[in-house]
Amino acid sequence: MSQRTVIKGGTIVAADRSYEADVAIEDGKIVQIGTNLNGDKVLDAEGCYVMPGGIDPHVHLEMPFMGTHSKDDFESGTRAGLAGGTTMVVDFCLPSPGQSMLEALEAWHAKSKRACADYSFHMAVTWWSEQVFNEMQQVVDLGINSFKHFMAYKGALMVEDDELFDSFRRCAALGALPMVHAENGDVVATMQQKLLADGIRGPEGHGLSRPPEVEGEATNRAIMIADMAGVPLYVVHTSCEQAHEAIRRARQKGMRVFGEPLIQHLVLDESEYRNPSWDHAAQRVMSPPFRDKSHQDSLWAGLQAGSLQVVATDHCAFSIEQKRNGIDDFTKIPNGTGGLEDRMPVLWSEGVNTGRLTPNEFVAVTSTNIAKILNIYPQKGAIVEGSDADLVVWDPKKSKTISPETQQSVVEYNVFAGREVTGLPRYTLSRGEVAVDDGKICATPGHGRFVERAPFPEVNKALSKWKELTAPRQVQRSAENMPACV
Ligand SMILES: NC(=O)NCCC(=O)O
Ligand SMILES: [Zn+2]
Ligand SMILES: [Zn+2]
C-alpha cells in the first residue's frame, strides 16, 4: 500500500486563483484536492500558501566555460533550488564545436545522476552542419524540445546569422523552441579590445563592453529571424529596456516571443561593478551585466504587463579563485552568478511584499508560464489531480538574512548576501518526497529524474498553421490573361 501524505490547512495559490483546500499525495502525484482530507502523514500548512514548486528554466550546473567548470553540480545545485522552493531545473547541454549532440547528451545524463530534484535539458546549437541538422531530430525524439543559440561569446559558443536562420527553420519543422542569448558578439569583442587598450582592465570593463544596445540589437535581430523562420522564440536573460522593448513590440504585432528576466537583474544594479573591492565586483560579472535602475523598472513592468513571462536565475556559480583568473583582464573573469536558492524568496520579498506582483502572478512567473512554454504543463507548474507533487508550502511570515554561511551552493559568496527576505518554504516536496522540512534540508541525491518534453506545443502548431496560410503563393493565370508572345 502506498503512503498517503496530506498537506493540510493551507491556501492553494495557483496562477489563476487562490482557494483553501488540502492536498493529498500518493506515489509522487497529487491524487485529491478537497477539504478535511486525511492521510498517513500530515504536513501542517496553517497560515501558509501551497504553490507549485518553482521551475528554474535557466541553470548551468558543472558547466564547462571559459577554461573552467562552474562549481555547483547537479547535486548541490538542485539541493540549493529545493532549499528555496524550486523543484525543477533545466540545464543547457553544450556540445563543444564539432562535437555530436548525442555524445554531449550522454555526458549531461551522466553528470545529472545525483540530482536531488527533477531536471531537463535544453540542447545548444554551438556549430552548424548536416550532422547537426540530422541530430536535432534525434534530440527531439529523446525528449528535448528546445534549442539554445549564443549570439555572443565570439570564438567560443557564438553562431552566425545564417546558422541561426537554418537552425530556427529546423526548429520550426521539428516543433521545437529556439532560444537565444541575445548580445551582439562582434560588437562586444571589439569593445572589449578597445577598453583593454584604454587601460580599463578591471571588472567595471565588463559592464562597459556590453551596453544595453548590444542586447537590444541582438534581441530584435533574433526576433526577426525567428519570424522569417516561422517559429516562436524564447529570449533568455532579458536584462534591459532595449531588449524588452523589442519583445514587447513583437508581441504587440502578434509574434510568439517570450522574455525571461533574471532575479539578479531585477534587484541588483551596475553600481556593483564600481565597488572598491575587486573580488566583490568580479563576483557579479555575468552576461548580460547588471543595469541601472531604469532597466529594473522596465523588467518589473514587463512581468506585470505580461510582456515578460518567466523569472529565472542563469545559476552559474564560480569560486573566488576561479573569478581571479581575470585579475588583470576583465575578459578572462568567468561569466556567471548564483541564485538558485534565492530566486523565489527574493522575488516574493521584492515582488509580492511590495505589491508589484500578486501571489498568483508570482506562481505564473516562477512555474506555470514556463511549464506551458516548455510543454510540460500540467505535469509540472500546476496543482491539479494527476500533477507531479512538486510543491512548496510557503510561509509568508518566515524571514532570514541571506548569507553564504548558510547556503547550499558550494561557492563562498552570494550576490544577495546581507539581504533580508520574508517568505520562505516551510516544506518543499519533490514528487511527494519532503526535501525541506522547516529549514532542514533532507533532499535525496539521485531522487531527481529527467523530464521528457514533447515537441509541437500548441503555440508552435498555431504559428505553423498561420505561416502556412499566409505563405507566398504563385498566382495561377489562365492563358487568356497571359501576353500573346509567351
Ligand atoms: N550568463 C553568464 O554570465 N554565464 C552563463 C552563460 C550564459 O548564460 O551566458
Ligand atoms: Zn547567456
Ligand atoms: Zn545561461
PDB file of all heavy atoms in Angstrom, residues 288-305:
ATOM      1  N   PRO A 288      24.061  39.069 -19.732  1.00  0.00           N
ATOM      2  CA  PRO A 288      24.363  40.491 -19.763  1.00  0.00           C
ATOM      3  C   PRO A 288      24.691  41.006 -18.358  1.00  0.00           C
ATOM      4  O   PRO A 288      24.306  40.382 -17.369  1.00  0.00           O
ATOM      5  CB  PRO A 288      23.053  41.118 -20.271  1.00  0.00           C
ATOM      6  CG  PRO A 288      22.248  39.993 -20.820  1.00  0.00           C
ATOM      7  CD  PRO A 288      22.689  38.761 -20.124  1.00  0.00           C
ATOM      8  N   PRO A 289      25.370  42.159 -18.282  1.00  0.00           N
ATOM      9  CA  PRO A 289      25.745  42.684 -16.966  1.00  0.00           C
ATOM     10  C   PRO A 289      24.562  43.337 -16.248  1.00  0.00           C
ATOM     11  O   PRO A 289      23.504  43.552 -16.848  1.00  0.00           O
ATOM     12  CB  PRO A 289      26.788  43.746 -17.326  1.00  0.00           C
ATOM     13  CG  PRO A 289      26.433  44.189 -18.698  1.00  0.00           C
ATOM     14  CD  PRO A 289      25.811  43.010 -19.395  1.00  0.00           C
ATOM     15  N   PHE A 290      24.755  43.663 -14.980  1.00  0.00           N
ATOM     16  CA  PHE A 290      23.709  44.393 -14.256  1.00  0.00           C
ATOM     17  C   PHE A 290      23.550  45.782 -14.882  1.00  0.00           C
ATOM     18  O   PHE A 290      24.511  46.367 -15.372  1.00  0.00           O
ATOM     19  CB  PHE A 290      24.055  44.518 -12.774  1.00  0.00           C
ATOM     20  CG  PHE A 290      24.204  43.178 -12.085  1.00  0.00           C
ATOM     21  CD1 PHE A 290      24.957  43.048 -10.921  1.00  0.00           C
ATOM     22  CD2 PHE A 290      23.589  42.042 -12.587  1.00  0.00           C
ATOM     23  CE1 PHE A 290      25.098  41.826 -10.292  1.00  0.00           C
ATOM     24  CE2 PHE A 290      23.717  40.806 -11.965  1.00  0.00           C
ATOM     25  CZ  PHE A 290      24.485  40.703 -10.816  1.00  0.00           C
ATOM     26  N   ARG A 291      22.337  46.312 -14.829  1.00  0.00           N
ATOM     27  CA  ARG A 291      21.985  47.574 -15.497  1.00  0.00           C
ATOM     28  C   ARG A 291      21.611  48.631 -14.472  1.00  0.00           C
ATOM     29  O   ARG A 291      21.474  48.330 -13.285  1.00  0.00           O
ATOM     30  CB  ARG A 291      20.781  47.342 -16.432  1.00  0.00           C
ATOM     31  CG  ARG A 291      20.913  46.178 -17.396  1.00  0.00           C
ATOM     32  CD  ARG A 291      21.985  46.423 -18.395  1.00  0.00           C
ATOM     33  NE  ARG A 291      21.946  45.459 -19.496  1.00  0.00           N
ATOM     34  CZ  ARG A 291      22.903  45.379 -20.403  1.00  0.00           C
ATOM     35  NH1 ARG A 291      23.955  46.182 -20.384  1.00  0.00           N
ATOM     36  NH2 ARG A 291      22.830  44.485 -21.369  1.00  0.00           N
ATOM     37  N   ASP A 292      21.303  49.849 -14.952  1.00  0.00           N
ATOM     38  CA  ASP A 292      20.860  50.859 -13.990  1.00  0.00           C
ATOM     39  C   ASP A 292      19.384  50.662 -13.651  1.00  0.00           C
ATOM     40  O   ASP A 292      18.684  49.852 -14.264  1.00  0.00           O
ATOM     41  CB  ASP A 292      21.184  52.283 -14.466  1.00  0.00           C
ATOM     42  CG  ASP A 292      20.304  52.730 -15.614  1.00  0.00           C
ATOM     43  OD1 ASP A 292      19.099  52.412 -15.603  1.00  0.00           O
ATOM     44  OD2 ASP A 292      20.813  53.404 -16.525  1.00  0.00           O
ATOM     45  N   LYS A 293      18.920  51.433 -12.658  1.00  0.00           N
ATOM     46  CA  LYS A 293      17.603  51.154 -12.071  1.00  0.00           C
ATOM     47  C   LYS A 293      16.453  51.346 -13.058  1.00  0.00           C
ATOM     48  O   LYS A 293      15.393  50.736 -12.903  1.00  0.00           O
ATOM     49  CB  LYS A 293      17.399  52.007 -10.817  1.00  0.00           C
ATOM     50  CG  LYS A 293      18.348  51.617  -9.689  1.00  0.00           C
ATOM     51  CD  LYS A 293      17.808  51.992  -8.331  1.00  0.00           C
ATOM     52  CE  LYS A 293      18.804  51.676  -7.220  1.00  0.00           C
ATOM     53  NZ  LYS A 293      19.158  50.233  -7.158  1.00  0.00           N
ATOM     54  N   SER A 294      16.637  52.181 -14.083  1.00  0.00           N
ATOM     55  CA  SER A 294      15.545  52.378 -15.047  1.00  0.00           C
ATOM     56  C   SER A 294      15.235  51.064 -15.765  1.00  0.00           C
ATOM     57  O   SER A 294      14.082  50.776 -16.109  1.00  0.00           O
ATOM     58  CB  SER A 294      15.898  53.478 -16.052  1.00  0.00           C
ATOM     59  OG  SER A 294      16.966  53.050 -16.863  1.00  0.00           O
ATOM     60  N   HIS A 295      16.258  50.248 -15.982  1.00  0.00           N
ATOM     61  CA  HIS A 295      16.032  48.955 -16.636  1.00  0.00           C
ATOM     62  C   HIS A 295      15.290  48.005 -15.699  1.00  0.00           C
ATOM     63  O   HIS A 295      14.450  47.212 -16.142  1.00  0.00           O
ATOM     64  CB  HIS A 295      17.359  48.357 -17.089  1.00  0.00           C
ATOM     65  CG  HIS A 295      18.042  49.194 -18.127  1.00  0.00           C
ATOM     66  ND1 HIS A 295      17.603  49.260 -19.430  1.00  0.00           N
ATOM     67  CD2 HIS A 295      19.096  50.042 -18.042  1.00  0.00           C
ATOM     68  CE1 HIS A 295      18.381  50.088 -20.111  1.00  0.00           C
ATOM     69  NE2 HIS A 295      19.279  50.585 -19.294  1.00  0.00           N
ATOM     70  N   GLN A 296      15.619  48.092 -14.417  1.00  0.00           N
ATOM     71  CA  GLN A 296      14.888  47.244 -13.458  1.00  0.00           C
ATOM     72  C   GLN A 296      13.398  47.571 -13.494  1.00  0.00           C
ATOM     73  O   GLN A 296      12.551  46.668 -13.503  1.00  0.00           O
ATOM     74  CB  GLN A 296      15.433  47.453 -12.042  1.00  0.00           C
ATOM     75  CG  GLN A 296      16.857  46.953 -11.887  1.00  0.00           C
ATOM     76  CD  GLN A 296      17.418  47.206 -10.502  1.00  0.00           C
ATOM     77  OE1 GLN A 296      16.798  47.869  -9.671  1.00  0.00           O
ATOM     78  NE2 GLN A 296      18.596  46.678 -10.246  1.00  0.00           N
ATOM     79  N   ASP A 297      13.074  48.857 -13.526  1.00  0.00           N
ATOM     80  CA  ASP A 297      11.654  49.253 -13.590  1.00  0.00           C
ATOM     81  C   ASP A 297      10.989  48.658 -14.822  1.00  0.00           C
ATOM     82  O   ASP A 297       9.846  48.194 -14.776  1.00  0.00           O
ATOM     83  CB  ASP A 297      11.528  50.788 -13.644  1.00  0.00           C
ATOM     84  CG  ASP A 297      11.914  51.436 -12.314  1.00  0.00           C
ATOM     85  OD1 ASP A 297      11.939  50.717 -11.296  1.00  0.00           O
ATOM     86  OD2 ASP A 297      12.200  52.652 -12.312  1.00  0.00           O
ATOM     87  N   SER A 298      11.708  48.675 -15.943  1.00  0.00           N
ATOM     88  CA  SER A 298      11.163  48.128 -17.183  1.00  0.00           C
ATOM     89  C   SER A 298      10.858  46.632 -17.031  1.00  0.00           C
ATOM     90  O   SER A 298       9.809  46.148 -17.460  1.00  0.00           O
ATOM     91  CB  SER A 298      12.163  48.359 -18.328  1.00  0.00           C
ATOM     92  OG  SER A 298      11.832  47.587 -19.448  1.00  0.00           O
ATOM     93  N   LEU A 299      11.786  45.905 -16.406  1.00  0.00           N
ATOM     94  CA  LEU A 299      11.586  44.449 -16.258  1.00  0.00           C
ATOM     95  C   LEU A 299      10.404  44.141 -15.339  1.00  0.00           C
ATOM     96  O   LEU A 299       9.584  43.258 -15.633  1.00  0.00           O
ATOM     97  CB  LEU A 299      12.859  43.786 -15.725  1.00  0.00           C
ATOM     98  CG  LEU A 299      14.133  43.956 -16.567  1.00  0.00           C
ATOM     99  CD1 LEU A 299      15.306  43.217 -15.915  1.00  0.00           C
ATOM    100  CD2 LEU A 299      13.933  43.451 -17.995  1.00  0.00           C
ATOM    101  N   TRP A 300      10.314  44.871 -14.216  1.00  0.00           N
ATOM    102  CA  TRP A 300       9.157  44.661 -13.315  1.00  0.00           C
ATOM    103  C   TRP A 300       7.866  44.959 -14.061  1.00  0.00           C
ATOM    104  O   TRP A 300       6.875  44.208 -13.950  1.00  0.00           O
ATOM    105  CB  TRP A 300       9.265  45.560 -12.079  1.00  0.00           C
ATOM    106  CG  TRP A 300      10.245  45.070 -11.041  1.00  0.00           C
ATOM    107  CD1 TRP A 300      11.460  45.622 -10.737  1.00  0.00           C
ATOM    108  CD2 TRP A 300      10.099  43.926 -10.174  1.00  0.00           C
ATOM    109  NE1 TRP A 300      12.079  44.897  -9.737  1.00  0.00           N
ATOM    110  CE2 TRP A 300      11.267  43.859  -9.369  1.00  0.00           C
ATOM    111  CE3 TRP A 300       9.102  42.967 -10.001  1.00  0.00           C
ATOM    112  CZ2 TRP A 300      11.457  42.861  -8.407  1.00  0.00           C
ATOM    113  CZ3 TRP A 300       9.294  41.970  -9.036  1.00  0.00           C
ATOM    114  CH2 TRP A 300      10.451  41.928  -8.258  1.00  0.00           C
ATOM    115  N   ALA A 301       7.859  46.043 -14.824  1.00  0.00           N
ATOM    116  CA  ALA A 301       6.640  46.396 -15.565  1.00  0.00           C
ATOM    117  C   ALA A 301       6.291  45.303 -16.576  1.00  0.00           C
ATOM    118  O   ALA A 301       5.114  44.986 -16.787  1.00  0.00           O
ATOM    119  CB  ALA A 301       6.842  47.740 -16.281  1.00  0.00           C
ATOM    120  N   GLY A 302       7.308  44.717 -17.175  1.00  0.00           N
ATOM    121  CA  GLY A 302       7.072  43.634 -18.142  1.00  0.00           C
ATOM    122  C   GLY A 302       6.420  42.425 -17.504  1.00  0.00           C
ATOM    123  O   GLY A 302       5.536  41.787 -18.091  1.00  0.00           O
ATOM    124  N   LEU A 303       6.843  42.116 -16.273  1.00  0.00           N
ATOM    125  CA  LEU A 303       6.222  40.980 -15.577  1.00  0.00           C
ATOM    126  C   LEU A 303       4.769  41.304 -15.241  1.00  0.00           C
ATOM    127  O   LEU A 303       3.885  40.449 -15.317  1.00  0.00           O
ATOM    128  CB  LEU A 303       6.999  40.650 -14.293  1.00  0.00           C
ATOM    129  CG  LEU A 303       8.420  40.124 -14.495  1.00  0.00           C
ATOM    130  CD1 LEU A 303       9.137  39.996 -13.155  1.00  0.00           C
ATOM    131  CD2 LEU A 303       8.407  38.769 -15.217  1.00  0.00           C
ATOM    132  N   GLN A 304       4.537  42.568 -14.870  1.00  0.00           N
ATOM    133  CA  GLN A 304       3.163  42.964 -14.530  1.00  0.00           C
ATOM    134  C   GLN A 304       2.276  42.970 -15.764  1.00  0.00           C
ATOM    135  O   GLN A 304       1.120  42.547 -15.734  1.00  0.00           O
ATOM    136  CB  GLN A 304       3.182  44.362 -13.889  1.00  0.00           C
ATOM    137  CG  GLN A 304       3.831  44.370 -12.522  1.00  0.00           C
ATOM    138  CD  GLN A 304       4.254  45.771 -12.083  1.00  0.00           C
ATOM    139  OE1 GLN A 304       4.555  46.632 -12.896  1.00  0.00           O
ATOM    140  NE2 GLN A 304       4.272  45.987 -10.784  1.00  0.00           N
ATOM    141  N   ALA A 305       2.818  43.482 -16.872  1.00  0.00           N
ATOM    142  CA  ALA A 305       2.011  43.637 -18.091  1.00  0.00           C
ATOM    143  C   ALA A 305       1.884  42.337 -18.880  1.00  0.00           C
ATOM    144  O   ALA A 305       1.043  42.231 -19.767  1.00  0.00           O
ATOM    145  CB  ALA A 305       2.647  44.712 -18.982  1.00  0.00           C
TER     146      ALA A 305
END
